[in-house]
Amino acid sequence: VFRKQNSEKNSNRQTELREKILTVATFAAIVNVLLSIAVAVFLLKDVVGRLRLLQDNAARLATGKQLSAPLQGSDEIAEVDRVFRRMARALTESNHKERAVVENALDTICAIDKDGRFSTANPASFKLFGLEPEDLVGTRLVDVIAEEDKTKILAWLSDLRERKERVASQSE
């Protein structure tokens, strides 16, 4: 009888201990999952923030604004930022050189948009058109060329458009 009572007590005690262990293990698992989620959110927030800074710098470069401060660290995102900055410096330097060539050219260099209007012109354009470059921008080409040259220039522009369309359709 004593053994039977003792056995039942041990069995009940073991059941209680198992339930307590299961409760503690469940609680520990929940805490572990919550901590894992918190760490993941923290790390993801940092990564997303750093990627947004790269995206912002790309937009800044495109609009000619100064880039944000460099990213610190030795991870892949910081390395992408360093490479991006080297590329931005090279691009800016190339743009300055191109601008110097265009601005100092003795010949007229200009760009005409699809509507036949000047979108850019260098200082040498004054000799040809009699207008300052900033006055040429927005002006239609046909409005500044001599009457006797209009037919020839319009045919030339039409030919250019056709060539451009052919090249565009061939590359598609």
Side-chain angles (χ1 to χ4, degrees):
V1 176
F2 178 71
R3 278 185 166 183
K4 190 176 182 184
Q5 285 177 345
N6 201 15
S7 176
E8 282 180 21
K9 278 185 180 179
N10 283 340
S11 178
N12 288 341
R13 179 80 175 133
Q14 285 178 352
T15 302
E16 287 175 13
L17 286 174
R18 277 190 203 115
E19 288 175 5
K20 285 183 181 180
I21 289 173
L22 184 60
T23 301
V24 168
T26 302
F27 178 75
I30 291 171
V31 168
N32 186 20
V33 167
L34 292 176
L35 284 174
S36 296
I37 290 172
V39 168
V41 166
F42 175 76
L43 292 176
L44 186 60
K45 194 174 187 182
D46 181 55
V47 169
V48 169
R50 292 164 58 92
L51 290 174
R52 280 199 182 119
L53 186 66
L54 286 175
Q55 183 179 21
D56 179 60
N57 275 340
R60 287 172 172 274
L61 178 64
T63 57
K65 295 179 182 174
Q66 185 174 358
L67 302 181
S68 301
L71 291 174
Q72 301 300 314
S74 58
D75 63 346
E76 292 85 357
I77 296 174
E79 180 61 23
V80 168
D81 184 56
R82 285 189 287 277
V83 170
F84 178 83
R85 287 171 183 286
R86 283 195 300 270
M87 183 257 333
R89 279 191 298 275
L91 184 60
T92 300
E93 185 178 311
S94 176
N95 285 341
H96 286 300
K97 288 177 183 177
E98 177 187 358
R99 195 88 203 112
V101 167
V102 169
E103 291 294 321
N104 294 306
L106 298 176
D107 294 326
T108 297
I109 300 174
C110 59
I112 300 171
D113 67 17
K114 63 179 171 55
D115 298 322
R117 296 183 184 279
F118 288 91
S119 56
T120 62
N122 72 337
S125 62
F126 181 80
K127 288 186 292 186
L128 183 62
F129 298 111
L131 292 171
E132 293 295 333
E134 54 273 3
D135 296 330
L136 269 177
V137 172
T139 304
R140 292 176 6 151
L141 175 63
V142 294
D143 293 339
V144 294
I145 55 176
E147 280 299 320
E148 62 270 9
D149 294 331
K150 282 187 181 182
T151 305
K152 184 178 172 183
I153 295 294
L154 290 173
W156 178 73
L157 287 173
S158 177
D159 184 50
L160 280 177
R161 280 192 193 113
E162 288 175 19
R163 285 185 200 173
K164 181 181 176 185
E165 289 171 2
R166 267 187 265 132
V167 168
S169 67
Q170 288 173 355
S171 51
E172 289 177 353

